[in-house]
Amino acid sequence: MSEAKPTILKLGGSVITDKDGELAAKTEVINRIAEEIKRADMDNLVIVHGGGSFGHPTAQKYGIKDGLKEPSQKVGFSETHHVMTVLNGLIMDALVWHEIPSLSITPSTCIMTENGRIKYFDDTVLCSCMKMGFVPVLYGDAVLDEKLGFTVLSGDQLVAHLALKLKAQKIVVGVDTDGLYEADPKVNASAKPYLRLNLEQLKRVQAKISGAQTTDVTGGMAGKIAELIPAVEAGISVQIINATRNLRVLRGLTGERIEGTIIEKA
Ligand code: IPE
């Protein structure tokens, strides 16, 4: 059993799935990342993954995020959760084959939200499995909501919540760009990533991004930053890395210097 403060690793949906496809997992990337996680040999690691082309299209098709409005959506809720378990199964497959003692923890059966924000979280199993040295694996999921009936809980909200709850040392956010950019790198090829940001600078970037009419990519980034701000305020460092590139996850976890954006309170 280790006393090391936990590290939370988020694997974005755009890293582990092809967002343009339908239920399209990037199994080679998933396997490579599992190998890097094994090599990093971390004490107290928690993994959270996103939904990509599994959770998002299904949640959108049935309007799950906005809550229960008509009975026909119920099966859509089931389907959204179900496809997330399918993607989670592929991640677990890779982790177990790389001999990482890991346990899938299903957000929809231990978490409830109120108007989309986490209200109840029974962390009994999560904490016990960490004490035993297992790596808990959670994911963005369709969850029950006290006011809305149900909704979508993003992996990013979950990451920040877990980091605060578990008093994490750091959060490593794996995305498919080389960090947090001044402008959307997929639109503006000369855009550069920020190397280091403090809390005040992060808040300025957040205000700039959310004020602009943005594409999905930066829009997603603005939401990500908004979720991460409370964790940074609590002194937890955040590193945004390109998890689609070789060795970045390994080096991000072990604290080696790599390309990406480091966010720290001061
Ligand atoms: C989404 O999780 C989960 C569902 C749509 C059910 P995220 O919001 O964390 O997923 P990505 O990383 O953006 O794909």
Side-chain angles (χ1 to χ4, degrees):
M1 209 191 297
S2 152
E3 296 306 317
K5 280 179 149 191
T7 297
I8 320 272
L9 172 65
K10 163 89 199 276
L11 297 173
S14 56
V15 171
I16 54 173
T17 75
D18 175 0
K19 280 211 166 181
D20 297 328
E22 225 178 281
L23 304 178
K26 293 191 200 161
T27 44
E28 278 174 26
V29 174
I30 294 171
N31 264 306
R32 178 186 47 72
I33 290 174
E35 192 194 324
E36 293 182 25
I37 293 169
K38 174 71 181 174
R39 278 174 67 187
D41 191 24
M42 304 286 291
D43 283 330
N44 275 342
L45 176 67
V46 180
I47 299 173
V48 177
H49 67 79
S53 61
F54 284 68
H56 285 292
T58 320
Q60 203 160 359
K61 179 172 160 199
Y62 295 99
I64 303 304
K65 195 171 173 34
D66 296 335
L68 177 62
K69 297 194 169 115
E70 46 184 272
S72 62
Q73 285 174 291
K74 280 191 180 172
V75 73
F77 172 82
S78 306
E79 191 179 323
T80 305
H81 167 67
H82 174 64
V83 292
M84 286 308 302
T85 68
V86 172
L87 177 59
N88 177 252
L90 298 174
I91 305 279
M92 295 312 297
D93 212 28
L95 295 175
V96 171
W97 280 107
H98 285 87
E99 300 190 344
I100 297 163
S102 42
L103 180 66
S104 168
I105 296 195
T106 307
S108 59
T109 53
C110 60
I111 297 174
M112 269 188 76
T113 53
E114 181 179 54
N115 281 323
R117 307 303 301 175
I118 295 174
K119 182 158 185 204
Y120 304 106
F121 189 162
D122 182 347
D123 61 2
T124 319
V125 173
L126 174 84
C127 292
S128 294
C129 93
M130 289 189 75
K131 277 200 194 114
M132 289 178 69
F134 285 99
V135 177
V137 184
L138 298 94
Y139 45 93
D141 201 1
V143 297
L144 298 183
D145 185 287
E146 264 196 353
K147 292 271 157 58
L148 303 170
F150 49 59
T151 191
V152 173
L153 169 66
S154 77
D156 294 320
Q157 187 186 152
L158 197 45
V159 163
H161 186 90
L162 286 168
L164 291 168
K165 196 183 195 77
L166 302 172
K167 300 188 170 39
Q169 184 206 349
K170 68 172 176 178
I171 300 172
V172 177
V173 183
V175 293
D176 66 345
T177 57
D178 284 343
L180 181 56
Y181 277 68
E182 300 159 357
D184 184 350
K186 288 169 186 167
V187 175
N188 180 350
S190 60
K192 291 197 172 52
Y194 297 103
L195 295 181
R196 186 173 282 276
L197 292 170
N198 63 28
L199 183 60
E200 289 319 308
Q201 290 166 327
L202 181 70
K203 285 183 177 170
R204 280 202 289 275
V205 171
Q206 156 76 0
K208 191 175 131 195
I209 302 182
S210 50
Q213 277 297 319
T214 54
T215 64
D216 242 337
V217 180
T218 44
M221 232 1 142
K224 209 178 268 308
I225 298 172
E227 294 293 357
L228 291 172
I229 284 175
V232 177
E233 273 168 350
I236 300 165
S237 79
V238 176
Q239 191 168 16
I240 302 178
I241 59 155
N242 190 337
T244 67
R245 295 199 193 274
N246 277 344
L247 302 175
R248 299 274 175 94
V249 169
L250 170 64
R251 292 179 178 150
L253 290 176
T254 54
E256 282 172 65
R257 180 92 214 98
I258 44 164
E259 280 173 58
T261 306
I262 293 179
I263 305 164
E264 268 160 357
K265 190 173 178 184

